[in-house]
Amino acid sequence: MKNKTIILFYNSMWGEPLDYPREEIPEHFFITEDRNLYDRASAVVFHVPSLGFDFIVGRGPIKKESQIWVGWSMESAAHHPILSTELVMRRFDLTMTQSRDSDIWCPYLLSSNREDLRNEPLEKTDGFLVNAFISSRYDTNGRTEYLREMMKRIDVHSYGKLFRNAAQPNGAGRQFKLDTMARYKFTVAFENASEPDYVTEKFYDPLIVGSVPIYLGAPNIEEFSPGDKCFINVSDFDGPESLSRFLHDLSRDTARYSEYFEWKNKPFRRGFEKLLQIQNEHLFVRLCRKIDKTLERGAAVNSLTNT
């Protein structure tokens, strides 16, 4: 570890172990979760939403001289107010979040989505019109009430904890979810908050498996769309009643419905292609490069100050 630039992840994301391609990390960097190396770390990454009360009130770790602190999150500030608390966020030199305004962009979009999005849609199962996988009751955009009203007007098979009326096996994971979505014409893709750039797997999963997302969430969702006419935007309708009528009509018109998959055989939108290209370099590699530049800039400033 001698002459290595140490990046310490002070706390991981929700306790999950770090998962990254170690072979792609620049050789002069060492990434660790060992807090015993705190004093030697050039940069310390904090998963902000899971920080404890001590950090919030300023009783957490003491920042070392020239140390870079990075605030890390993929969550919505609407559900984690700490992310919009100035007294906390101003302690970080860099941010690594799903917002494209952050120093290191950390989206839900993956480089593997490039190929996955080209998957051909499967034939739909008769009677399988709309599915929903929503379990969390976090809700700042009215998604709970919207879904409740939708279910009064159209047949929705809800596999999540919210309004569950469809069974799933014990221990069912992501693959069950994807396989199930693929059998339906439409998938409820409601984010738990409507914030710019906050676009999660709820949007991309149905696109990957060939189900049309019914989207409620980021107001700039078009900027994250791989192609034209690939999803149905809740904001285009007066409410659940008009949306449900539209879904009923669309489901009965095979030609119109098939138009929602034409994008799969066309080049991705230029803006979406740029987002994918950013993901060609792993998040932690981009973090290393940003820390390098920040350290260089700090060294240059110190050099000028001492002359």
Side-chain angles (χ1 to χ4, degrees), residues 98-101 105 191 193-200 203-204 215-227 230-231 233 235-236 269 271-272 275:
Q98 86 287 345
S99 170
R100 285 181 291 172
D101 291 335
W105 185 43
E191 308 284 11
S194 296
E195 296 180 2
D197 299 345
Y198 184 58
V199 180
T200 74
F203 179 63
Y204 293 112
Y215 188 76
L216 171 65
N220 61 336
I221 184 60
E222 286 287 353
E223 298 173 22
F224 290 81
S225 303
C230 65
F231 72 101
N233 198 334
S235 66
D236 291 338
R269 282 178 171 177
F272 184 78
L275 299 184

PDB file of all heavy atoms in Angstrom, residues 98-101 105 191 193-200 203-204 215-227 230-231 233 235-236 269 271-272 275:
ATOM      1  N   GLN A  98     -27.190  10.561  -8.000  1.00  0.00           N
ATOM      2  CA  GLN A  98     -27.898  10.333  -9.259  1.00  0.00           C
ATOM      3  C   GLN A  98     -28.192  11.633  -9.999  1.00  0.00           C
ATOM      4  O   GLN A  98     -28.616  11.607 -11.155  1.00  0.00           O
ATOM      5  CB  GLN A  98     -29.203   9.555  -9.021  1.00  0.00           C
ATOM      6  CG  GLN A  98     -30.417  10.386  -8.661  1.00  0.00           C
ATOM      7  CD  GLN A  98     -30.358  10.925  -7.241  1.00  0.00           C
ATOM      8  OE1 GLN A  98     -29.561  10.469  -6.440  1.00  0.00           O
ATOM      9  NE2 GLN A  98     -31.202  11.883  -6.921  1.00  0.00           N
ATOM     10  N   SER A  99     -27.946  12.764  -9.361  1.00  0.00           N
ATOM     11  CA  SER A  99     -28.141  14.051 -10.025  1.00  0.00           C
ATOM     12  C   SER A  99     -26.994  14.315 -10.992  1.00  0.00           C
ATOM     13  O   SER A  99     -25.819  14.146 -10.634  1.00  0.00           O
ATOM     14  CB  SER A  99     -28.209  15.179  -8.991  1.00  0.00           C
ATOM     15  OG  SER A  99     -28.178  16.443  -9.633  1.00  0.00           O
ATOM     16  N   ARG A 100     -27.318  14.745 -12.193  1.00  0.00           N
ATOM     17  CA  ARG A 100     -26.260  15.017 -13.172  1.00  0.00           C
ATOM     18  C   ARG A 100     -25.472  16.273 -12.831  1.00  0.00           C
ATOM     19  O   ARG A 100     -24.454  16.563 -13.467  1.00  0.00           O
ATOM     20  CB  ARG A 100     -26.861  15.114 -14.576  1.00  0.00           C
ATOM     21  CG  ARG A 100     -27.228  13.746 -15.147  1.00  0.00           C
ATOM     22  CD  ARG A 100     -27.790  13.844 -16.540  1.00  0.00           C
ATOM     23  NE  ARG A 100     -29.104  14.464 -16.540  1.00  0.00           N
ATOM     24  CZ  ARG A 100     -29.766  14.816 -17.638  1.00  0.00           C
ATOM     25  NH1 ARG A 100     -29.220  14.608 -18.826  1.00  0.00           N
ATOM     26  NH2 ARG A 100     -30.963  15.349 -17.549  1.00  0.00           N
ATOM     27  N   ASP A 101     -25.906  17.006 -11.816  1.00  0.00           N
ATOM     28  CA  ASP A 101     -25.157  18.169 -11.347  1.00  0.00           C
ATOM     29  C   ASP A 101     -24.060  17.787 -10.358  1.00  0.00           C
ATOM     30  O   ASP A 101     -23.248  18.629  -9.976  1.00  0.00           O
ATOM     31  CB  ASP A 101     -26.097  19.177 -10.669  1.00  0.00           C
ATOM     32  CG  ASP A 101     -27.044  19.849 -11.651  1.00  0.00           C
ATOM     33  OD1 ASP A 101     -26.684  19.921 -12.848  1.00  0.00           O
ATOM     34  OD2 ASP A 101     -28.122  20.296 -11.238  1.00  0.00           O
ATOM     35  N   TRP A 105     -21.283  11.421 -11.439  1.00  0.00           N
ATOM     36  CA  TRP A 105     -22.674  11.010 -11.673  1.00  0.00           C
ATOM     37  C   TRP A 105     -22.832   9.522 -11.362  1.00  0.00           C
ATOM     38  O   TRP A 105     -22.061   8.685 -11.836  1.00  0.00           O
ATOM     39  CB  TRP A 105     -23.061  11.299 -13.119  1.00  0.00           C
ATOM     40  CG  TRP A 105     -24.494  11.022 -13.431  1.00  0.00           C
ATOM     41  CD1 TRP A 105     -25.577  11.339 -12.667  1.00  0.00           C
ATOM     42  CD2 TRP A 105     -24.996  10.364 -14.605  1.00  0.00           C
ATOM     43  NE1 TRP A 105     -26.743  10.929 -13.284  1.00  0.00           N
ATOM     44  CE2 TRP A 105     -26.413  10.329 -14.459  1.00  0.00           C
ATOM     45  CE3 TRP A 105     -24.417   9.824 -15.736  1.00  0.00           C
ATOM     46  CZ2 TRP A 105     -27.233   9.755 -15.436  1.00  0.00           C
ATOM     47  CZ3 TRP A 105     -25.223   9.254 -16.695  1.00  0.00           C
ATOM     48  CH2 TRP A 105     -26.620   9.229 -16.549  1.00  0.00           C
ATOM     49  N   GLU A 191     -42.093   6.005  -9.602  1.00  0.00           N
ATOM     50  CA  GLU A 191     -41.033   6.312  -8.650  1.00  0.00           C
ATOM     51  C   GLU A 191     -41.660   6.736  -7.319  1.00  0.00           C
ATOM     52  O   GLU A 191     -42.815   7.154  -7.267  1.00  0.00           O
ATOM     53  CB  GLU A 191     -40.144   7.453  -9.177  1.00  0.00           C
ATOM     54  CG  GLU A 191     -39.601   7.261 -10.581  1.00  0.00           C
ATOM     55  CD  GLU A 191     -38.454   6.272 -10.667  1.00  0.00           C
ATOM     56  OE1 GLU A 191     -38.195   5.556  -9.675  1.00  0.00           O
ATOM     57  OE2 GLU A 191     -37.820   6.198 -11.738  1.00  0.00           O
ATOM     58  N   ALA A 193     -40.676   9.305  -5.724  1.00  0.00           N
ATOM     59  CA  ALA A 193     -40.566  10.765  -5.690  1.00  0.00           C
ATOM     60  C   ALA A 193     -40.388  11.258  -7.116  1.00  0.00           C
ATOM     61  O   ALA A 193     -39.872  10.540  -7.969  1.00  0.00           O
ATOM     62  CB  ALA A 193     -39.387  11.204  -4.827  1.00  0.00           C
ATOM     63  N   SER A 194     -40.831  12.472  -7.370  1.00  0.00           N
ATOM     64  CA  SER A 194     -40.706  13.047  -8.715  1.00  0.00           C
ATOM     65  C   SER A 194     -39.684  14.175  -8.677  1.00  0.00           C
ATOM     66  O   SER A 194     -40.009  15.328  -8.414  1.00  0.00           O
ATOM     67  CB  SER A 194     -42.068  13.569  -9.204  1.00  0.00           C
ATOM     68  OG  SER A 194     -42.990  12.510  -9.337  1.00  0.00           O
ATOM     69  N   GLU A 195     -38.424  13.810  -8.922  1.00  0.00           N
ATOM     70  CA  GLU A 195     -37.322  14.774  -8.907  1.00  0.00           C
ATOM     71  C   GLU A 195     -36.544  14.660 -10.215  1.00  0.00           C
ATOM     72  O   GLU A 195     -36.401  13.564 -10.758  1.00  0.00           O
ATOM     73  CB  GLU A 195     -36.378  14.490  -7.741  1.00  0.00           C
ATOM     74  CG  GLU A 195     -37.005  14.666  -6.375  1.00  0.00           C
ATOM     75  CD  GLU A 195     -36.019  14.364  -5.253  1.00  0.00           C
ATOM     76  OE1 GLU A 195     -34.838  14.063  -5.562  1.00  0.00           O
ATOM     77  OE2 GLU A 195     -36.419  14.412  -4.086  1.00  0.00           O
ATOM     78  N   PRO A 196     -36.016  15.775 -10.725  1.00  0.00           N
ATOM     79  CA  PRO A 196     -35.193  15.706 -11.934  1.00  0.00           C
ATOM     80  C   PRO A 196     -34.048  14.710 -11.760  1.00  0.00           C
ATOM     81  O   PRO A 196     -33.415  14.649 -10.694  1.00  0.00           O
ATOM     82  CB  PRO A 196     -34.663  17.142 -12.067  1.00  0.00           C
ATOM     83  CG  PRO A 196     -35.678  17.987 -11.376  1.00  0.00           C
ATOM     84  CD  PRO A 196     -36.161  17.159 -10.217  1.00  0.00           C
ATOM     85  N   ASP A 197     -33.807  13.900 -12.778  1.00  0.00           N
ATOM     86  CA  ASP A 197     -32.699  12.943 -12.831  1.00  0.00           C
ATOM     87  C   ASP A 197     -32.906  11.702 -11.959  1.00  0.00           C
ATOM     88  O   ASP A 197     -32.098  10.774 -12.036  1.00  0.00           O
ATOM     89  CB  ASP A 197     -31.357  13.590 -12.439  1.00  0.00           C
ATOM     90  CG  ASP A 197     -30.955  14.713 -13.362  1.00  0.00           C
ATOM     91  OD1 ASP A 197     -31.534  14.837 -14.460  1.00  0.00           O
ATOM     92  OD2 ASP A 197     -30.057  15.500 -12.990  1.00  0.00           O
ATOM     93  N   TYR A 198     -33.947  11.685 -11.139  1.00  0.00           N
ATOM     94  CA  TYR A 198     -34.172  10.514 -10.280  1.00  0.00           C
ATOM     95  C   TYR A 198     -34.975   9.481 -11.064  1.00  0.00           C
ATOM     96  O   TYR A 198     -36.191   9.386 -10.975  1.00  0.00           O
ATOM     97  CB  TYR A 198     -34.906  10.927  -9.003  1.00  0.00           C
ATOM     98  CG  TYR A 198     -35.109   9.793  -8.008  1.00  0.00           C
ATOM     99  CD1 TYR A 198     -34.025   9.097  -7.493  1.00  0.00           C
ATOM    100  CD2 TYR A 198     -36.388   9.430  -7.584  1.00  0.00           C
ATOM    101  CE1 TYR A 198     -34.201   8.064  -6.587  1.00  0.00           C
ATOM    102  CE2 TYR A 198     -36.581   8.401  -6.673  1.00  0.00           C
ATOM    103  CZ  TYR A 198     -35.486   7.728  -6.175  1.00  0.00           C
ATOM    104  OH  TYR A 198     -35.674   6.705  -5.271  1.00  0.00           O
ATOM    105  N   VAL A 199     -34.238   8.705 -11.872  1.00  0.00           N
ATOM    106  CA  VAL A 199     -34.822   7.678 -12.746  1.00  0.00           C
ATOM    107  C   VAL A 199     -34.198   6.344 -12.350  1.00  0.00           C
ATOM    108  O   VAL A 199     -33.001   6.136 -12.531  1.00  0.00           O
ATOM    109  CB  VAL A 199     -34.549   7.982 -14.228  1.00  0.00           C
ATOM    110  CG1 VAL A 199     -35.172   6.909 -15.114  1.00  0.00           C
ATOM    111  CG2 VAL A 199     -35.082   9.359 -14.595  1.00  0.00           C
ATOM    112  N   THR A 200     -35.020   5.449 -11.815  1.00  0.00           N
ATOM    113  CA  THR A 200     -34.494   4.199 -11.273  1.00  0.00           C
ATOM    114  C   THR A 200     -34.759   3.018 -12.201  1.00  0.00           C
ATOM    115  O   THR A 200     -35.265   3.169 -13.315  1.00  0.00           O
ATOM    116  CB  THR A 200     -35.119   3.916  -9.892  1.00  0.00           C
ATOM    117  OG1 THR A 200     -36.489   3.495 -10.079  1.00  0.00           O
ATOM    118  CG2 THR A 200     -35.092   5.155  -9.003  1.00  0.00           C
ATOM    119  N   PHE A 203     -38.039   2.237 -14.298  1.00  0.00           N
ATOM    120  CA  PHE A 203     -38.241   2.647 -15.686  1.00  0.00           C
ATOM    121  C   PHE A 203     -37.561   1.681 -16.651  1.00  0.00           C
ATOM    122  O   PHE A 203     -38.141   1.282 -17.671  1.00  0.00           O
ATOM    123  CB  PHE A 203     -37.702   4.061 -15.884  1.00  0.00           C
ATOM    124  CG  PHE A 203     -37.825   4.587 -17.289  1.00  0.00           C
ATOM    125  CD1 PHE A 203     -39.069   4.768 -17.880  1.00  0.00           C
ATOM    126  CD2 PHE A 203     -36.695   4.922 -18.027  1.00  0.00           C
ATOM    127  CE1 PHE A 203     -39.185   5.256 -19.178  1.00  0.00           C
ATOM    128  CE2 PHE A 203     -36.799   5.419 -19.318  1.00  0.00           C
ATOM    129  CZ  PHE A 203     -38.050   5.588 -19.893  1.00  0.00           C
ATOM    130  N   TYR A 204     -36.333   1.271 -16.341  1.00  0.00           N
ATOM    131  CA  TYR A 204     -35.552   0.487 -17.294  1.00  0.00           C
ATOM    132  C   TYR A 204     -35.919  -0.995 -17.327  1.00  0.00           C
ATOM    133  O   TYR A 204     -35.830  -1.626 -18.388  1.00  0.00           O
ATOM    134  CB  TYR A 204     -34.056   0.660 -17.002  1.00  0.00           C
ATOM    135  CG  TYR A 204     -33.587   2.061 -17.275  1.00  0.00           C
ATOM    136  CD1 TYR A 204     -33.181   2.903 -16.243  1.00  0.00           C
ATOM    137  CD2 TYR A 204     -33.588   2.572 -18.571  1.00  0.00           C
ATOM    138  CE1 TYR A 204     -32.769   4.198 -16.494  1.00  0.00           C
ATOM    139  CE2 TYR A 204     -33.180   3.868 -18.839  1.00  0.00           C
ATOM    140  CZ  TYR A 204     -32.774   4.677 -17.792  1.00  0.00           C
ATOM    141  OH  TYR A 204     -32.388   5.962 -18.040  1.00  0.00           O
ATOM    142  N   TYR A 215     -45.199   5.462 -16.670  1.00  0.00           N
ATOM    143  CA  TYR A 215     -44.220   6.147 -15.822  1.00  0.00           C
ATOM    144  C   TYR A 215     -44.776   7.343 -15.068  1.00  0.00           C
ATOM    145  O   TYR A 215     -45.459   8.199 -15.633  1.00  0.00           O
ATOM    146  CB  TYR A 215     -43.017   6.606 -16.656  1.00  0.00           C
ATOM    147  CG  TYR A 215     -41.897   7.137 -15.795  1.00  0.00           C
ATOM    148  CD1 TYR A 215     -41.076   6.263 -15.085  1.00  0.00           C
ATOM    149  CD2 TYR A 215     -41.683   8.503 -15.657  1.00  0.00           C
ATOM    150  CE1 TYR A 215     -40.060   6.736 -14.272  1.00  0.00           C
ATOM    151  CE2 TYR A 215     -40.679   8.984 -14.846  1.00  0.00           C
ATOM    152  CZ  TYR A 215     -39.863   8.095 -14.147  1.00  0.00           C
ATOM    153  OH  TYR A 215     -38.869   8.564 -13.333  1.00  0.00           O
ATOM    154  N   LEU A 216     -44.438   7.378 -13.779  1.00  0.00           N
ATOM    155  CA  LEU A 216     -44.693   8.532 -12.921  1.00  0.00           C
ATOM    156  C   LEU A 216     -43.406   8.813 -12.172  1.00  0.00           C
ATOM    157  O   LEU A 216     -42.901   7.943 -11.451  1.00  0.00           O
ATOM    158  CB  LEU A 216     -45.821   8.226 -11.926  1.00  0.00           C
ATOM    159  CG  LEU A 216     -46.071   9.249 -10.815  1.00  0.00           C
ATOM    160  CD1 LEU A 216     -46.552  10.569 -11.396  1.00  0.00           C
ATOM    161  CD2 LEU A 216     -47.080   8.710  -9.800  1.00  0.00           C
ATOM    162  N   GLY A 217     -42.860  10.001 -12.359  1.00  0.00           N
ATOM    163  CA  GLY A 217     -41.601  10.288 -11.680  1.00  0.00           C
ATOM    164  C   GLY A 217     -40.910  11.522 -12.214  1.00  0.00           C
ATOM    165  O   GLY A 217     -41.505  12.600 -12.256  1.00  0.00           O
ATOM    166  N   ALA A 218     -39.661  11.356 -12.620  1.00  0.00           N
ATOM    167  CA  ALA A 218     -38.818  12.483 -13.008  1.00  0.00           C
ATOM    168  C   ALA A 218     -39.473  13.340 -14.089  1.00  0.00           C
ATOM    169  O   ALA A 218     -39.894  12.807 -15.125  1.00  0.00           O
ATOM    170  CB  ALA A 218     -37.469  11.982 -13.500  1.00  0.00           C
ATOM    171  N   PRO A 219     -39.550  14.656 -13.884  1.00  0.00           N
ATOM    172  CA  PRO A 219     -40.153  15.522 -14.891  1.00  0.00           C
ATOM    173  C   PRO A 219     -39.354  15.579 -16.191  1.00  0.00           C
ATOM    174  O   PRO A 219     -39.901  15.935 -17.239  1.00  0.00           O
ATOM    175  CB  PRO A 219     -40.195  16.898 -14.207  1.00  0.00           C
ATOM    176  CG  PRO A 219     -39.163  16.830 -13.132  1.00  0.00           C
ATOM    177  CD  PRO A 219     -39.137  15.404 -12.685  1.00  0.00           C
ATOM    178  N   ASN A 220     -38.069  15.191 -16.145  1.00  0.00           N
ATOM    179  CA  ASN A 220     -37.235  15.199 -17.349  1.00  0.00           C
ATOM    180  C   ASN A 220     -36.970  13.777 -17.850  1.00  0.00           C
ATOM    181  O   ASN A 220     -35.903  13.472 -18.388  1.00  0.00           O
ATOM    182  CB  ASN A 220     -35.918  15.929 -17.098  1.00  0.00           C
ATOM    183  CG  ASN A 220     -35.078  15.277 -15.992  1.00  0.00           C
ATOM    184  OD1 ASN A 220     -35.602  14.576 -15.127  1.00  0.00           O
ATOM    185  ND2 ASN A 220     -33.775  15.511 -16.027  1.00  0.00           N
ATOM    186  N   ILE A 221     -37.967  12.910 -17.700  1.00  0.00           N
ATOM    187  CA  ILE A 221     -37.803  11.510 -18.068  1.00  0.00           C
ATOM    188  C   ILE A 221     -37.456  11.330 -19.549  1.00  0.00           C
ATOM    189  O   ILE A 221     -36.746  10.387 -19.919  1.00  0.00           O
ATOM    190  CB  ILE A 221     -39.092  10.712 -17.727  1.00  0.00           C
ATOM    191  CG1 ILE A 221     -38.909   9.218 -18.026  1.00  0.00           C
ATOM    192  CG2 ILE A 221     -40.299  11.275 -18.452  1.00  0.00           C
ATOM    193  CD1 ILE A 221     -37.799   8.565 -17.242  1.00  0.00           C
ATOM    194  N   GLU A 222     -37.903  12.229 -20.406  1.00  0.00           N
ATOM    195  CA  GLU A 222     -37.586  12.105 -21.836  1.00  0.00           C
ATOM    196  C   GLU A 222     -36.085  12.107 -22.079  1.00  0.00           C
ATOM    197  O   GLU A 222     -35.593  11.472 -23.011  1.00  0.00           O
ATOM    198  CB  GLU A 222     -38.248  13.235 -22.627  1.00  0.00           C
ATOM    199  CG  GLU A 222     -39.744  13.087 -22.819  1.00  0.00           C
ATOM    200  CD  GLU A 222     -40.119  11.996 -23.816  1.00  0.00           C
ATOM    201  OE1 GLU A 222     -39.210  11.435 -24.462  1.00  0.00           O
ATOM    202  OE2 GLU A 222     -41.320  11.697 -23.944  1.00  0.00           O
ATOM    203  N   GLU A 223     -35.327  12.798 -21.232  1.00  0.00           N
ATOM    204  CA  GLU A 223     -33.875  12.851 -21.387  1.00  0.00           C
ATOM    205  C   GLU A 223     -33.211  11.515 -21.069  1.00  0.00           C
ATOM    206  O   GLU A 223     -32.058  11.291 -21.416  1.00  0.00           O
ATOM    207  CB  GLU A 223     -33.301  13.950 -20.491  1.00  0.00           C
ATOM    208  CG  GLU A 223     -33.799  15.350 -20.835  1.00  0.00           C
ATOM    209  CD  GLU A 223     -33.360  16.394 -19.829  1.00  0.00           C
ATOM    210  OE1 GLU A 223     -32.356  16.146 -19.115  1.00  0.00           O
ATOM    211  OE2 GLU A 223     -34.014  17.442 -19.731  1.00  0.00           O
ATOM    212  N   PHE A 224     -33.946  10.631 -20.409  1.00  0.00           N
ATOM    213  CA  PHE A 224     -33.413   9.325 -20.023  1.00  0.00           C
ATOM    214  C   PHE A 224     -34.012   8.195 -20.859  1.00  0.00           C
ATOM    215  O   PHE A 224     -33.775   7.024 -20.575  1.00  0.00           O
ATOM    216  CB  PHE A 224     -33.697   9.069 -18.543  1.00  0.00           C
ATOM    217  CG  PHE A 224     -32.893   9.929 -17.615  1.00  0.00           C
ATOM    218  CD1 PHE A 224     -33.271  11.230 -17.347  1.00  0.00           C
ATOM    219  CD2 PHE A 224     -31.737   9.446 -17.025  1.00  0.00           C
ATOM    220  CE1 PHE A 224     -32.531  12.039 -16.501  1.00  0.00           C
ATOM    221  CE2 PHE A 224     -30.984  10.244 -16.178  1.00  0.00           C
ATOM    222  CZ  PHE A 224     -31.384  11.542 -15.914  1.00  0.00           C
ATOM    223  N   SER A 225     -34.780   8.560 -21.878  1.00  0.00           N
ATOM    224  CA  SER A 225     -35.476   7.562 -22.693  1.00  0.00           C
ATOM    225  C   SER A 225     -34.608   7.116 -23.864  1.00  0.00           C
ATOM    226  O   SER A 225     -34.052   7.954 -24.577  1.00  0.00           O
ATOM    227  CB  SER A 225     -36.795   8.143 -23.217  1.00  0.00           C
ATOM    228  OG  SER A 225     -37.607   8.572 -22.139  1.00  0.00           O
ATOM    229  N   PRO A 226     -34.494   5.810 -24.090  1.00  0.00           N
ATOM    230  CA  PRO A 226     -33.630   5.311 -25.163  1.00  0.00           C
ATOM    231  C   PRO A 226     -34.145   5.594 -26.565  1.00  0.00           C
ATOM    232  O   PRO A 226     -33.369   5.630 -27.524  1.00  0.00           O
ATOM    233  CB  PRO A 226     -33.569   3.809 -24.905  1.00  0.00           C
ATOM    234  CG  PRO A 226     -34.811   3.506 -24.134  1.00  0.00           C
ATOM    235  CD  PRO A 226     -35.081   4.713 -23.302  1.00  0.00           C
ATOM    236  N   GLY A 227     -35.454   5.779 -26.688  1.00  0.00           N
ATOM    237  CA  GLY A 227     -36.013   6.018 -28.011  1.00  0.00           C
ATOM    238  C   GLY A 227     -37.357   6.712 -27.941  1.00  0.00           C
ATOM    239  O   GLY A 227     -37.908   6.946 -26.853  1.00  0.00           O
ATOM    240  N   CYS A 230     -41.498   5.006 -26.286  1.00  0.00           N
ATOM    241  CA  CYS A 230     -41.144   3.743 -25.626  1.00  0.00           C
ATOM    242  C   CYS A 230     -41.836   3.586 -24.281  1.00  0.00           C
ATOM    243  O   CYS A 230     -41.729   2.531 -23.650  1.00  0.00           O
ATOM    244  CB  CYS A 230     -39.632   3.628 -25.459  1.00  0.00           C
ATOM    245  SG  CYS A 230     -38.891   4.844 -24.364  1.00  0.00           S
ATOM    246  N   PHE A 231     -42.545   4.625 -23.811  1.00  0.00           N
ATOM    247  CA  PHE A 231     -43.236   4.529 -22.532  1.00  0.00           C
ATOM    248  C   PHE A 231     -44.469   5.418 -22.556  1.00  0.00           C
ATOM    249  O   PHE A 231     -44.678   6.220 -23.477  1.00  0.00           O
ATOM    250  CB  PHE A 231     -42.310   4.944 -21.388  1.00  0.00           C
ATOM    251  CG  PHE A 231     -42.029   6.432 -21.329  1.00  0.00           C
ATOM    252  CD1 PHE A 231     -42.684   7.256 -20.425  1.00  0.00           C
ATOM    253  CD2 PHE A 231     -41.095   7.019 -22.193  1.00  0.00           C
ATOM    254  CE1 PHE A 231     -42.431   8.618 -20.372  1.00  0.00           C
ATOM    255  CE2 PHE A 231     -40.830   8.384 -22.154  1.00  0.00           C
ATOM    256  CZ  PHE A 231     -41.504   9.182 -21.241  1.00  0.00           C
ATOM    257  N   ASN A 233     -46.435   8.252 -20.328  1.00  0.00           N
ATOM    258  CA  ASN A 233     -46.176   9.201 -19.256  1.00  0.00           C
ATOM    259  C   ASN A 233     -47.480   9.581 -18.559  1.00  0.00           C
ATOM    260  O   ASN A 233     -48.395  10.119 -19.193  1.00  0.00           O
ATOM    261  CB  ASN A 233     -45.485  10.449 -19.805  1.00  0.00           C
ATOM    262  CG  ASN A 233     -44.802  11.257 -18.721  1.00  0.00           C
ATOM    263  OD1 ASN A 233     -45.189  11.208 -17.542  1.00  0.00           O
ATOM    264  ND2 ASN A 233     -43.801  12.035 -19.102  1.00  0.00           N
ATOM    265  N   SER A 235     -48.112  11.967 -16.718  1.00  0.00           N
ATOM    266  CA  SER A 235     -48.365  13.407 -16.755  1.00  0.00           C
ATOM    267  C   SER A 235     -49.081  13.856 -18.031  1.00  0.00           C
ATOM    268  O   SER A 235     -49.557  14.989 -18.112  1.00  0.00           O
ATOM    269  CB  SER A 235     -47.045  14.178 -16.625  1.00  0.00           C
ATOM    270  OG  SER A 235     -46.215  13.956 -17.740  1.00  0.00           O
ATOM    271  N   ASP A 236     -49.183  12.976 -19.021  1.00  0.00           N
ATOM    272  CA  ASP A 236     -49.885  13.314 -20.263  1.00  0.00           C
ATOM    273  C   ASP A 236     -51.397  13.131 -20.134  1.00  0.00           C
ATOM    274  O   ASP A 236     -52.132  13.424 -21.093  1.00  0.00           O
ATOM    275  CB  ASP A 236     -49.387  12.438 -21.414  1.00  0.00           C
ATOM    276  CG  ASP A 236     -47.956  12.762 -21.823  1.00  0.00           C
ATOM    277  OD1 ASP A 236     -47.504  13.891 -21.542  1.00  0.00           O
ATOM    278  OD2 ASP A 236     -47.291  11.882 -22.411  1.00  0.00           O
ATOM    279  N   ARG A 269     -31.491   7.293 -28.941  1.00  0.00           N
ATOM    280  CA  ARG A 269     -31.460   8.743 -29.012  1.00  0.00           C
ATOM    281  C   ARG A 269     -30.047   9.244 -28.707  1.00  0.00           C
ATOM    282  O   ARG A 269     -29.326   8.658 -27.883  1.00  0.00           O
ATOM    283  CB  ARG A 269     -32.421   9.347 -27.981  1.00  0.00           C
ATOM    284  CG  ARG A 269     -33.889   9.314 -28.379  1.00  0.00           C
ATOM    285  CD  ARG A 269     -34.723   9.893 -27.258  1.00  0.00           C
ATOM    286  NE  ARG A 269     -36.108  10.094 -27.655  1.00  0.00           N
ATOM    287  CZ  ARG A 269     -37.049  10.542 -26.826  1.00  0.00           C
ATOM    288  NH1 ARG A 269     -36.739  10.818 -25.571  1.00  0.00           N
ATOM    289  NH2 ARG A 269     -38.292  10.713 -27.257  1.00  0.00           N
ATOM    290  N   GLY A 271     -28.964  11.800 -27.015  1.00  0.00           N
ATOM    291  CA  GLY A 271     -28.751  12.140 -25.613  1.00  0.00           C
ATOM    292  C   GLY A 271     -28.603  10.911 -24.739  1.00  0.00           C
ATOM    293  O   GLY A 271     -27.775  10.872 -23.825  1.00  0.00           O
ATOM    294  N   PHE A 272     -29.396   9.886 -25.018  1.00  0.00           N
ATOM    295  CA  PHE A 272     -29.316   8.650 -24.252  1.00  0.00           C
ATOM    296  C   PHE A 272     -27.997   7.939 -24.521  1.00  0.00           C
ATOM    297  O   PHE A 272     -27.388   7.375 -23.607  1.00  0.00           O
ATOM    298  CB  PHE A 272     -30.495   7.739 -24.606  1.00  0.00           C
ATOM    299  CG  PHE A 272     -30.552   6.479 -23.796  1.00  0.00           C
ATOM    300  CD1 PHE A 272     -31.029   6.495 -22.501  1.00  0.00           C
ATOM    301  CD2 PHE A 272     -30.136   5.263 -24.341  1.00  0.00           C
ATOM    302  CE1 PHE A 272     -31.076   5.321 -21.745  1.00  0.00           C
ATOM    303  CE2 PHE A 272     -30.191   4.097 -23.593  1.00  0.00           C
ATOM    304  CZ  PHE A 272     -30.661   4.124 -22.298  1.00  0.00           C
ATOM    305  N   LEU A 275     -25.394   9.336 -22.350  1.00  0.00           N
ATOM    306  CA  LEU A 275     -25.503   8.849 -20.971  1.00  0.00           C
ATOM    307  C   LEU A 275     -24.887   7.458 -20.852  1.00  0.00           C
ATOM    308  O   LEU A 275     -24.185   7.158 -19.880  1.00  0.00           O
ATOM    309  CB  LEU A 275     -26.964   8.812 -20.524  1.00  0.00           C
ATOM    310  CG  LEU A 275     -27.738  10.134 -20.516  1.00  0.00           C
ATOM    311  CD1 LEU A 275     -29.142   9.923 -19.962  1.00  0.00           C
ATOM    312  CD2 LEU A 275     -27.003  11.185 -19.692  1.00  0.00           C
TER     313      LEU A 275
END
